[in-house]
Amino acid sequence: MMANKVLTGARVVLPTGIVDGGHVIVDGTRIADTGTGPGTAPAGAETLDVSGHWLVPGFVDLHNHGGGGASFSGSADDVMTAVRAHRAHGTTTLVASTVTDDMGVLTKQAGLLAELAEQGEIAGIHFEGPFISPCRKGAHSEALLRDPDPAEVRKLVDAARGHARMMTLATELPGGLDSVRLLADHGVIAAVGHTDATYEQTVEAIDAGATVATHLFNAMPTLGHRAPGPITALLEDERVTVELINDGVHLHPAALELAFHHAGAARVAFITDAMDAAGSGDGRYLLGPLEVEVADGVARLVEGGSIAGSTLTLDRAFQRAVTVDRLPVEDVVAALSANPARLLGLDDRIGSLEPGKDANLVLLDEEFTLKGVLRRGEWVVAPDLA
């Protein structure tokens, strides 16, 4: 039987602000109470004094291709290896991202991932490709790219059996706007990314129902004073959430600051865009059908040298955001937990430390280094208070 837990003495980040010397009480898989002081422990509860630490909600990753040496394009065992690798770094909720491949391969993989979503291991599927621009293909195989035919988009959505959460499209391509409308009608997030769209074309896509910018700044035209491009359109529209990869490689700190300043903290979602090497190490890997070389933690295609996803984990994104980018802790928590949870429509269950929600939390020390991970009331990473 799962033991109840009382964590006391921490700096707890709640939706209402930061509480010093606060508590979180866990009853089974759910949060029973939060607030100031030690709280009232249920009978038989395990009590843990975590003074000098932070308690924040479990992280939610919208865009992730793998980790721990395994990919979400692989077998069920591979998928679970990657899921567990990211859980060990605080990601208690994860959307599994595919990469451009043959349509038959993608529909088959969607079925496998749908089974794991039904089991509660992942929060759904994100299709990144094949409906993207060859001009901005990044680490996707150009030979497998295609225009976003709504009928083919529908095939992928149907193959996911209700677990398609998001699809990245170059909405300027033929069929792009109709595909955005189809996705919106089926409750699937349409994300603008790997795109060569103009400002005006991006505005059209947003008006058609696109609500996410796939890794803003990356794999899209740069911001120009006479051709403001998709970046400007995505930043200025309050309907859009912008993904940011905060690994110090994909974005200059000034670009990150620009996004936060113009979009505001409520419209930013930190993602990993991780590939197999996240939590694993340097070496040779595959991203879909393409070979990747990871050196000093940076993943690049062997052929051509394009950046090929990241080796980021969300605990590192958190630490960098607070210690390097000097963002307020509350804003970082929003970008890592509350905002993506709301975008996925799961904010009634996850994304914040509130009574009744899943007991997903991350324990961090004063330097924002991960020291424990609780998922649905069970320790994924046992507290390290040494």
Side-chain angles (χ1 to χ4, degrees), residues 139 249 275 283-285 290-295 297-309 311:
V249 176
M275 46 81 71
R284 287 280 179 111
Y285 297 85
L290 302 180
E291 194 170 14
V292 175
E293 177 77 33
V294 178
V298 180
R300 294 185 180 276
L301 290 182
V302 171
E303 185 177 340
S306 292
I307 292 178
T311 62

Side-chain angles (χ1 to χ4, degrees), residues 58-271:
F59 308 143
V60 181
D61 198 351
L62 295 170
H63 185 157
N64 186 319
H65 297 278
S71 166
F72 293 129
S73 296
S75 67
D77 286 345
D78 290 335
V79 171
M80 288 310 303
T81 294
V83 166
R84 292 185 187 105
H86 284 282
R87 283 181 189 165
H89 290 275
T91 299
T92 51
T93 304
L94 182 149
V95 175
S97 301
T98 61
V99 67
T100 295
D101 213 321
D102 178 81
M103 283 293 291
V105 172
L106 289 174
T107 53
K108 182 179 179 181
Q109 193 64 20
L112 183 151
L113 292 170
E115 288 184 18
L116 293 170
E118 287 158 6
Q119 295 166 21
E121 301 292 358
I122 61 173
I125 306 163
H126 163 221
F127 296 100
E128 188 179 26
F131 309 117
I132 60 175
S133 172
C135 301
R136 305 286 174 176
K137 64 183 184 295
H140 292 254
S141 173
E142 185 168 355
L144 295 169
L145 300 183
R146 53 215 297 137
D147 290 341
D149 177 352
E152 292 195 320
V153 169
R154 177 67 185 268
K155 282 183 184 178
L156 290 182
V157 172
D158 288 347
R161 303 199 302 267
H163 298 288
R165 291 289 189 180
M166 182 162 66
M167 186 177 292
T168 294
L169 306 163
T171 54
E172 76 278 8
L173 295 176
L177 293 180
D178 285 340
S179 294
V180 168
R181 295 185 187 102
L182 183 150
L183 291 169
D185 287 344
H186 285 79
V188 180
I189 298 163
V192 177
H194 289 276
T195 176
D196 205 39
T198 63
Y199 172 87
E200 290 77 13
Q201 288 171 325
T202 307
V203 169
E204 279 190 288
I206 298 168
D207 287 340
T211 56
V212 166
T214 292
H215 43 54
L216 186 75
F217 298 107
N218 298 115
M220 60 182 63
T222 56
L223 193 157
H225 63 292
R226 281 191 291 269
I231 294 171
T232 303
L234 294 162
L235 278 177
E236 72 182 7
D237 198 302
E238 293 184 357
R239 294 170 289 182
V240 176
T241 298
V242 298
E243 295 181 348
L244 298 175
I245 308 171
N246 192 26
D247 61 353
V249 176
H250 281 78
L251 295 176
H252 190 283
L256 183 88
E257 184 179 0
L258 178 75
F260 263 90
H261 177 75
H262 284 279
R267 288 180 45 221
V268 172
F270 281 139
I271 61 163

